[in-house]
Amino acid sequence: MSVRVSDEMTKVRARAKRRLAIKRALTYLTAIVLSLWILLPIWLIASMALTTPEAMRSFPKSVLPFIPFSFDTMRFFLEARGIVPGLINSVVVALITLALSTLIAAPAGYALSRYVFRGRNAFRLSILAVRAFPVVILSIPLAVTFINLGMFDKVSSLALMHTALTLPTTVLVIGSVFASIPYELEEAAQVFGCTAFQAFRRVVLPLVLPGIAAAALFTFVMSWNEVFAATVLTVQNRTLPAQVLVSLREAPDAYKFAGGFFMLIPSVIFIMIIRKYLFNMWGQSSK
Amino acid sequence: MSIQPLRIPRRRTKVQWAPYLLITPALLYLLVFFAWPMTQAIRLAVWDEQGLLSLRAAPGEENEAGALEQGAKISVLDRRNVPLAPGEADGGPALLDVWFFVEGETPGGATVQGWAPESRVRVRETDPSGLPLRGTVRPRLGSATGQHTTVYAFPDERSDVVGELASRAEVGIAQRTSLEVWFLIEGAHNEKRVSGWAPSRRLQIYGDGATGRVDSGDTGRFTLLHIQRMLNDRFFRSALGTTFLLMLLIIPVQLVLAIVMALVIQARLKFNLLFLAIFAIPLAASDLAVGIVWSSIFTQNGYLNSILYSLGLIESPQAYLTAATRHWILIAVWIAEVWRATSLVMVIVVSGLQAISQEVLEAAELFGATLWQRVRFVILPLLKPSLQVALILRTILALQVFAVVIALGGGDVVTVLANETYRQYYALRNMNTAAAYSGLILLLSMISAGIYLRTVRGQEEAVS
């Protein structure tokens, strides 16, 4: 009797186990298919960019990439007119944006996470709303204003504009980074004899620094990627995406694909660095 | 030791200044670089800086006598010279009249001092800076008014005559003055006749000297001209239509794909963080780069053709991204945008899923709900707030699709609102129509953002 029951039990159990295994396998399959969907295009553009221009023009292409492996296409792109200055401008704009945006956003983020004050919600909601606003709206009037003020076509003006774009996101991210550090830690430090500033400097700052660095990095990438305002606000001092965009029509394929790959690299590296903070960045819009 | 009565301190509501100080820089920055440009965009779109020309009661005076629209037909009744203040001649080419203060001999031999027009004096000698010092009176050939040149008390032919100079008489030039010609004009405004004085730089007088038109105004006015120009633009309908079509194509696919991704992440597989990072890569990818990536697949020598050719499905490479294959460009933009922007939705959905209590999901599974039943009846209803947020955020962001369209289609065959803004600004140099386009995008975004904010607020009330 007892043997029969346990027999039945094992059968049921085995069936349940099998079903679970199949489910698991299917989930893995979905995960892998989705990963391929994301990774394959990157793989393909990499194999376009990291080969000779002749191989790049050949048809049909082998999906096996890098045959022959060569930096010729990339070199062709980097030696094209305006690319190196554009690269320098892009980095300068992104660095100014990063510095300005972090400096202005950090106090606001701290205030949002540490204080309850009248108007806090209104401030937070307006920041949430502003984050979504298209850069297209701001670029045209700012271009007109910059022309009138003699600030047009300057790297610094573009950085001012980019700071306006990144600021809302940076405020929210830094706010959520501060919010993840319990206030009790600060209090405890003060109980043990730290001043408020010391408590901030010695206890909170070391804990939030990685998160703020991630936010700053995200700011950098947003500025690095931004193309509409960059194209509208500059003529001579183009950033890299703006330079690529305006020469896209006449550019040979080698220039195009190498350029696309070159602009894509930072984002891949960036995501790998900050994957821990992804949810601080976008996931909090519901809370 | 007496016991003091216990005093309960009155609660003082002290205003905390620290948070306000901390948010001030961010607030100011957003005011200057967000709120202000937005009002400027609207101003550029509906405000005509030179729309109206205000007429003066007397030449050179401030008192207004009415106004005429730019381009209005006018008739000239009178003209007068008005001294030009330095740096005043902006707005258009002014009709200038130059007069000299001269001293010379009358035909009778007496000395006379007064103003003579530049056209009557030939300058013979100038000082190093170019100012005239000496000259001779031009002879008047075959003139009915006589051989002599009249000298006036003021630089105006209507002023008192102080004397006459003989032709070819030598004169000393003491002073030079530039006068702008003002016209007394008459025209129709709002079907009423108005007349008044206006400077020549604002007017265009035709060859007959009696008629003309208002060339440029000096006062702004509300106008729908730029908006009309946008509406009549040959790309407008196509841009608006394509923007909405892309929205309709992209957003549902994105939501489904993002939910699948989120469920995969929620299943807590091995390498979970790696999968998450891979799914999130496009989050940081530039839209231009993504457009180029997909053009490497759809281009004639690209991977799509290579694969189809290798499989024997096509005989020769097909052209996808050309003017004749508009639908293929749309499909390419669609796929590229789904690839690029799904990550954002995914992250929002994942964090929404994490907020759902694990027990609810497990209970559903325990009671034998299938995957579809769990998604349909448990996960989706609980996820609704996050999905709304994602949906509206995506709607606003879909209004700025730009570089992907340029990279895949060049921007002519398939065009979107952002691209038209760029075309008006960059190719046509028409700031006002560009501003009208951005105003339209602003309006559409505001509508979406309004819904977005209400959703967020509703959610917060639901949470608390």
Side-chain angles (χ1 to χ4, degrees):
Chain A
M1 181 82 178
S2 68
V3 176
R4 255 177 51 205
V5 168
S6 84
D7 222 26
E8 201 113 305
M9 286 278 277
T10 36
K11 249 185 205 166
V12 169
R13 211 195 224 157
R15 214 181 309 142
K17 237 182 185 172
R18 207 170 333 122
R19 204 185 294 152
L20 209 69
I22 291 172
K23 235 183 74 185
R24 206 92 187 131
L26 276 177
T27 318
Y28 270 109
L29 193 69
T30 321
I32 288 164
V33 168
L34 286 173
S35 302
L36 281 181
W37 153 251
I38 299 291
L39 290 178
L40 197 64
I42 299 175
W43 176 261
L44 294 179
I45 191 83
S47 63
M48 277 270 201
L50 298 177
T51 187
T52 60
E54 291 74 39
M56 201 211 69
R57 277 192 290 273
S58 68
F59 184 85
K61 286 189 178 45
S62 93
V63 180
L64 283 178
F66 312 133
I67 306 171
F69 183 86
S70 142
F71 278 116
D72 283 1
T73 311
M74 289 309 283
R75 194 175 305 134
F76 174 76
F77 169 71
L78 289 173
E79 283 168 0
R81 194 169 57 86
I83 291 304
V84 172
L87 185 61
I88 295 169
N89 284 339
S90 264
V91 172
V92 171
V93 169
L95 283 178
I96 300 176
T97 307
L98 182 157
L100 257 182
S101 187
T102 312
L103 273 180
I104 299 174
Y110 185 80
L112 271 184
S113 71
R114 282 289 191 264
Y115 292 95
V116 179
F117 54 97
R118 191 187 289 269
R120 172 179 182 274
N121 245 347
F123 179 65
R124 218 175 58 85
L125 283 179
S126 52
I127 290 235
L128 271 175
V130 148
R131 176 177 66 168
F133 269 79
V135 41
V136 178
I137 304 166
L138 302 180
S139 305
I140 304 296
L142 275 182
V144 174
T145 312
F146 284 160
I147 290 172
N148 289 341
L149 294 178
M151 289 164 69
F152 187 68
D153 196 15
K154 289 209 165 63
V155 168
S156 49
S157 319
L158 184 59
L160 286 177
M161 158 96 205
H162 278 180
T163 305
L165 286 182
T166 57
L167 195 59
T169 310
T170 319
V171 169
L172 291 173
V173 175
I174 293 183
S176 79
V177 168
F178 274 120
S180 67
I181 312 294
Y183 183 60
E184 287 74 35
L185 270 178
E186 247 173 295
E187 274 183 333
Q190 286 185 40
V191 166
F192 286 116
C194 283
T195 63
F197 178 73
Q198 277 175 330
F200 176 79
R201 160 120 180 44
R202 304 204 175 241
V203 178
V204 179
L205 205 58
L207 287 171
V208 294
L209 226 43
I212 291 183
L217 210 57
F218 192 59
T219 309
F220 186 95
V221 170
M222 275 171 85
S223 166
W224 169 272
N225 284 345
E226 202 289 317
V227 62
F228 189 90
T231 318
V232 165
L233 292 179
T234 59
V235 175
Q236 298 292 319
N237 298 310
R238 294 243 187 250
T239 62
L240 185 65
Q243 180 66 35
V244 173
L245 185 91
V246 290
S247 39
L248 210 54
R249 208 179 281 249
E250 300 90 39
D253 281 356
Y255 176 94
K256 222 166 110 174
F257 297 142
F261 178 65
F262 192 81
M263 286 187 284
L264 202 61
I265 307 171
S267 63
V268 179
I269 299 171
F270 159 74
I271 281 291
M272 291 304 155
I273 296 175
I274 63 141
R275 59 180 184 277
K276 238 180 81 184
Y277 290 92
L278 272 180
F279 293 99
N280 287 23
M281 267 161 211
W282 289 99
Q284 45 136 18
S285 48
S286 61
K287 245 181 96 186
Chain B
M1 195 175 124
S2 66
I3 294 171
Q4 294 271 317
L6 188 66
R7 267 180 52 197
I8 300 167
R10 223 179 332 134
R11 262 182 67 189
R12 277 187 306 166
T13 45
K14 208 178 89 186
V15 179
Q16 267 187 315
W17 288 109
Y20 295 107
L21 280 179
L22 290 173
I23 65 168
T24 304
L27 214 53
L28 282 180
Y29 201 93
L30 289 180
L31 273 181
V32 173
F33 283 96
F34 241 107
W36 189 77
M38 260 180 224
T39 59
Q40 286 302 298
I42 295 167
R43 187 189 151 91
L44 277 172
V46 299
W47 197 251
D48 188 356
E49 291 287 352
Q50 302 191 328
L52 278 182
L53 176 65
S54 53
L55 302 178
R56 314 294 174 178
E61 278 184 18
E62 291 292 318
N63 299 338
E64 282 195 33
L68 281 174
E69 280 177 38
Q70 184 178 15
K73 285 198 168 64
I74 51 168
S75 49
V76 179
L77 306 175
D78 197 1
R79 57 182 285 170
R80 189 77 46 90
N81 295 338
V82 173
L84 198 64
E88 203 197 332
D90 53 345
L95 195 57
L96 287 182
D97 217 3
V98 178
W99 286 67
F100 293 136
F101 190 76
V102 294
E103 182 180 334
E105 276 186 13
T106 61
T111 305
V112 67
Q113 282 187 342
W115 290 93
E118 185 195 31
S119 57
R120 301 299 315 136
V121 180
R122 166 167 293 157
V123 176
R124 299 284 182 189
E125 201 184 319
T126 59
D127 77 348
S129 65
L131 279 173
L133 291 174
R134 304 198 64 79
T136 54
V137 174
R138 287 176 198 268
R140 222 185 251 277
L141 295 174
S143 165
T145 51
Q147 291 285 307
H148 306 306
T149 292
T150 319
V151 181
Y152 299 93
F154 298 102
D156 192 336
E157 277 163 9
R158 280 168 199 78
S159 59
D160 295 340
V161 175
V162 285
E164 284 185 321
L165 290 168
S167 81
R168 295 206 173 79
E170 284 214 359
V171 290
I173 303 169
Q175 210 180 327
R176 185 177 73 167
T177 185
S178 296
L179 301 158
E180 184 178 9
V181 181
W182 283 57
F183 291 100
L184 177 62
I185 55 171
E186 191 185 56
H189 181 54
N190 293 340
E191 289 165 11
K192 269 193 297 189
R193 302 218 60 83
V194 283
S195 65
W197 291 89
S200 58
R201 71 188 111 107
R202 301 280 179 196
L203 306 172
Q204 185 188 353
I205 305 296
Y206 300 147
D208 59 3
T211 56
R213 62 184 280 277
V214 175
D215 191 44
S216 66
D218 53 1
T219 339
R221 64 153 174 180
F222 176 81
T223 177
L224 290 174
L225 192 78
H226 309 307
I227 291 171
Q228 269 166 13
R229 201 170 286 165
M230 171 184 80
L231 295 177
N232 294 333
D233 184 37
R234 71 190 170 104
F235 289 109
F236 174 73
R237 276 161 183 280
S238 137
L240 191 67
T242 311
T243 307
F244 279 123
L245 177 67
L246 282 175
M247 247 185 223
L248 285 180
L249 287 176
I250 293 166
I251 294 175
V253 180
Q254 268 180 347
L255 284 184
V256 172
L257 204 57
I259 292 173
V260 174
M261 280 179 175
L263 286 176
V264 166
I265 297 295
Q266 195 68 5
R268 305 197 185 284
L269 305 173
K270 249 182 221 169
F271 314 117
N272 205 10
L273 256 184
L274 179 69
F275 283 126
L276 179 63
I278 290 174
F279 294 166
I281 286 176
L283 195 63
S286 103
D287 41 357
L288 179 61
V290 173
I292 293 175
V293 167
W294 285 91
S295 80
S296 82
I297 291 166
F298 280 98
T299 190
Q300 194 158 7
N301 284 351
Y303 288 103
L304 182 62
N305 271 332
S306 296
I307 292 167
L308 291 178
Y309 182 82
S310 313
L311 294 175
L313 291 173
I314 52 169
E315 313 241 297
S316 58
Q318 307 281 309
Y320 298 108
L321 305 175
T322 63
T325 53
R326 191 172 180 273
H327 57 286
W328 270 110
I329 299 181
L330 274 175
I331 291 173
V333 172
W334 176 35
I335 296 177
E337 271 294 297
V338 168
W339 187 87
R340 183 178 78 86
T342 302
S343 315
L344 173 59
V345 186
M346 187 268 300
V347 173
I348 295 175
V349 174
V350 167
S351 67
L353 263 184
Q354 283 170 350
I356 299 175
S357 94
Q358 205 60 38
E359 285 109 56
V360 175
L361 297 178
E362 275 164 17
E365 210 171 347
L366 213 65
F367 286 116
T370 62
L371 176 68
W372 168 245
Q373 284 171 330
R374 266 182 294 145
V375 169
R376 172 69 188 79
F377 296 109
V378 182
I379 294 177
L380 277 188
L382 285 173
L383 216 51
K384 203 178 141 207
S386 312
L387 285 180
Q388 274 175 328
V389 169
L391 188 83
I392 295 154
L393 198 57
R394 270 306 306 158
T395 312
I396 297 175
L397 292 177
L399 291 166
Q400 28 176 339
V401 177
F402 170 64
V404 171
V405 177
I406 300 263
L408 283 168
D412 285 327
V413 189
V414 172
T415 181
V416 287
L417 289 177
N419 183 36
E420 285 318 304
T421 315
Y422 175 68
R423 190 203 308 278
Q424 291 290 342
Y425 169 83
Y426 190 75
L428 305 175
R429 295 267 153 221
N430 195 337
M431 309 280 182
N432 298 99
T433 312
Y437 268 108
S438 40
L440 176 67
I441 297 173
L442 175 67
L443 186 73
L444 294 174
S445 311
M446 292 252 270
I447 296 171
S448 313
I451 307 170
Y452 175 53
L453 279 187
R454 274 183 58 184
T455 317
V456 174
R457 196 174 288 155
Q459 250 172 281
E460 280 180 351
E461 275 156 16
V463 167
S464 56

